[in-house]
Amino acid sequence: MLRRHRQIRTQIHQLVDACLIALSFWLAYQLRANPAIIEQFDLPEVAPFKTFAWFYLILIFATPLVLESQGFYDQPILGSRTATLWALFRGCLFTTLGLIIGLFYYRLYIARSVPIWFGIISFGLLYLKDELIRLRYQSKLSQSQYQRRFILVGTSEETDRMRKE
């Protein structure tokens, strides 16, 4: 039962991470396509977002697989932050490199800053999600949920002896 609970929790995390990856790519694109930024830095216009929609869907499905291959979902909930950060960094780096290679291979011309911003934003959002989950599990309410409880049934002498033990 505990193994099934862990699998369901991992699948929920993967779904949330896929949504955060989608949000990251969209934010990176919107940041680069912002008219104020284009005017401020005298940059060329960006192709419309619908040009990258199919690639966007592939990215959403591939990123949780990359994160899983890097061991991001195998970390304990309250485990080492450095191990979690390292697995997250590798996953985001490989996803960003895959995005760049895929865009180059299919000759989709997007601004060079979009994949870079995507990697930074996705790392930040996934790390923020991980920290919020860590804070939730460290709260007193959550800790009391994981404490073992016993029901002592017996005579008063037996229950007093068990309480002392």
Side-chain angles (χ1 to χ4, degrees), residues 20-95:
L20 289 175
I21 289 299
L23 179 66
S24 299
F25 188 73
W26 183 80
L27 284 174
Y29 179 83
Q30 291 300 322
L31 182 67
R32 176 56 178 84
N34 188 346
I37 292 176
I38 290 173
E39 184 178 320
Q40 177 72 26
F41 296 107
D42 194 32
L43 299 171
E45 291 290 324
V46 183
F49 190 74
K50 65 181 178 180
T51 308
F52 310 105
W54 67 274
F55 203 74
Y56 183 67
L57 293 174
I58 293 172
L59 187 66
I60 291 169
F61 289 115
T63 301
L65 297 175
V66 171
L67 289 172
E68 186 173 1
S69 72
Q70 296 304 312
F72 180 66
Y73 299 115
D74 296 335
Q75 305 290 330
I77 295 169
L78 297 175
S80 167
R81 276 193 175 108
T82 54
T84 303
L85 280 173
W86 181 241
L88 179 61
F89 175 76
R90 284 190 323 247
C92 288
L93 178 69
F94 291 146
T95 303

Side-chain angles (χ1 to χ4, degrees), residues 13-161:
H13 284 295
Q14 287 175 339
L15 179 65
V16 170
D17 291 346
C19 292
L20 289 175
I21 289 299
L23 179 66
S24 299
F25 188 73
W26 183 80
L27 284 174
Y29 179 83
Q30 291 300 322
L31 182 67
R32 176 56 178 84
N34 188 346
I37 292 176
I38 290 173
E39 184 178 320
Q40 177 72 26
F41 296 107
D42 194 32
L43 299 171
E45 291 290 324
V46 183
F49 190 74
K50 65 181 178 180
T51 308
F52 310 105
W54 67 274
F55 203 74
Y56 183 67
L57 293 174
I58 293 172
L59 187 66
I60 291 169
F61 289 115
T63 301
L65 297 175
V66 171
L67 289 172
E68 186 173 1
S69 72
Q70 296 304 312
F72 180 66
Y73 299 115
D74 296 335
Q75 305 290 330
I77 295 169
L78 297 175
S80 167
R81 276 193 175 108
T82 54
T84 303
L85 280 173
W86 181 241
L88 179 61
F89 175 76
R90 284 190 323 247
C92 288
L93 178 69
F94 291 146
T95 303
T96 304
L97 291 175
L99 175 65
I100 292 169
I101 291 169
L103 289 171
F104 179 76
Y105 181 74
Y106 289 107
R107 291 189 168 84
L108 294 174
Y109 299 107
I110 193 169
R112 289 177 291 202
S113 60
V114 172
I116 306 297
W117 279 112
F118 164 73
I120 294 168
I121 293 170
S122 64
F123 180 81
L125 286 177
L126 291 174
Y127 179 68
L128 179 66
K129 180 208 70 140
D130 193 52
E131 283 298 312
L132 290 174
I133 290 172
R134 183 183 295 267
L135 285 173
R136 181 179 162 259
Y137 278 108
Q138 287 177 342
S139 71
K140 290 187 183 212
L141 178 65
S142 183
Q143 286 180 356
S144 67
Q145 180 182 7
Y146 294 111
Q147 290 179 349
R148 287 188 176 181
R149 294 188 175 97
F150 296 100
I151 297 175
L152 296 176
V153 178
T155 62
S156 61
E157 295 87 25
E158 289 175 339
T159 56
D160 288 338
R161 183 177 53 84

